[in-house]
Amino acid sequence: MQDVKFNYLTELCLRYQQHDFYVKEIPLSILSKVDKRFEIPQNEKIIAILDCTILGSGKAGVCFTDKGIRWRSIGNEVGSIEWIEFSGINQFKVQNEVEIYFDQKKVFLLGGGSNYPIPLFIELLTTLRDVLKQFSYELLLKQHSISSSVTYNELKNISTLFEKYEEAFEPNNGLLVDKHISTELKKKVIKYFDFHVNKGIVAFLRTFSLKKIDGIVICENGIYLKEAFISFYYPWYVFRNLPLYLLEDELVIGKDNVFHLTHSKMKGSEVLLFLKKLQKHANSVYQGVPSVIDLYPINSKS
């Protein structure tokens, strides 16, 4: 078993993921530019980044750190606000579709290349503000440590229940588990999902054609979903109580994120059952572990 460390700020950001909003698993191509472009001090820890550029360069956007929020608009304007000051803001609003206001002050532009829904962004800011008002900055950033976690073998056993593997042929439902994932395929998955280090890949479910690596990766540290213009990562302690349902051939996860299963060899209903089994297991492992949704009711959907 390995210790899992988390705080409520990270968990909140993970729950508000959509494309171009990266939490913890931030692409190196973006992370390498953020410190300088956003003028972030060395002693400040980056938690999440919303990239607002068309090509995903990370040159402009919004950065959430352990000290506060920092931003860099398309016009190169840089600004920041610490969490203590942020907790005193009364209203967040948007004007002209891209201009974000804190009370009566325009602070930055969310436009440029981001497809992140502005209403959802306002909801995230409001939720963060409300948690800070009701509780404290220290509680939001307090580091929690869990002595138990899911294990490779447990995840493998669950995944194997859904695998239909024939050694002489391609797997007939697209799911490969453990040693059935070839070294060559694993390298492609690591490159496509932009894994920084070895994640302990347990299973890979391909959800598109054989020429693409779109799909779902089950790792010891969490679950990854990626296709064109969509990329998500949820650690197991967050995934355990995440909204998850099927809408025709689309898997809806988290804050109404849509993951397409139209070309998946595994039926949508079976994919959902597979993920629900993983959720149930994660729930049993982390039973009793505090969650931000227990601390504060984010909204009725959560």
Side-chain angles (χ1 to χ4, degrees), residues 22-38 46 49 51 55-59 190-199 224 226 231:
Y22 303 101
V23 189
K24 295 187 71 174
E25 301 286 313
I26 303 170
L28 291 176
S29 58
I30 292 177
L31 197 58
S32 61
K33 303 169 186 175
V34 168
D35 288 352
K36 182 178 179 180
R37 295 186 181 278
F38 287 70
I46 298 171
I49 297 173
D51 181 18
L55 300 177
S57 66
K59 293 181 178 180
I190 290 172
K191 182 178 180 180
Y192 182 65
F193 282 77
D194 197 19
F195 291 158
H196 301 179
V197 294
N198 181 19
K199 298 295 182 182
Y224 296 78
K226 187 168 184 177
S231 180

Side-chain angles (χ1 to χ4, degrees), residues 209-239:
S209 68
L210 296 177
K211 295 181 180 179
K212 293 192 175 183
I213 315 296
D214 293 355
I216 301 171
V217 183
I218 308 302
C219 295
E220 286 182 285
N221 62 307
I223 183 170
Y224 296 78
L225 302 92
K226 187 168 184 177
E227 61 182 42
F229 308 115
I230 295 176
S231 180
F232 308 116
Y233 158 66
Y234 297 104
W236 294 117
Y237 75 88
V238 173
F239 184 74

Side-chain angles (χ1 to χ4, degrees), residues 272-283:
L272 181 63
L273 181 59
F274 176 35
L275 299 185
K276 287 286 188 180
K277 286 283 188 182
L278 291 170
Q279 272 196 325
K280 183 178 180 180
H281 175 64
N283 253 318

Side-chain angles (χ1 to χ4, degrees), residues 2 23 27 49 62 65 136 154 166-167 193 199-200 203 206-207 216 229 237 239 271 289-290:
Q2 58 181 354
V23 189
I49 297 173
V62 184
T65 78
S136 67
E154 289 167 338
E166 298 178 23
E167 189 172 355
F193 282 77
K199 298 295 182 182
R206 194 193 299 265
T207 56
I216 301 171
F229 308 115
Y237 75 88
F239 184 74
V271 174
V289 173

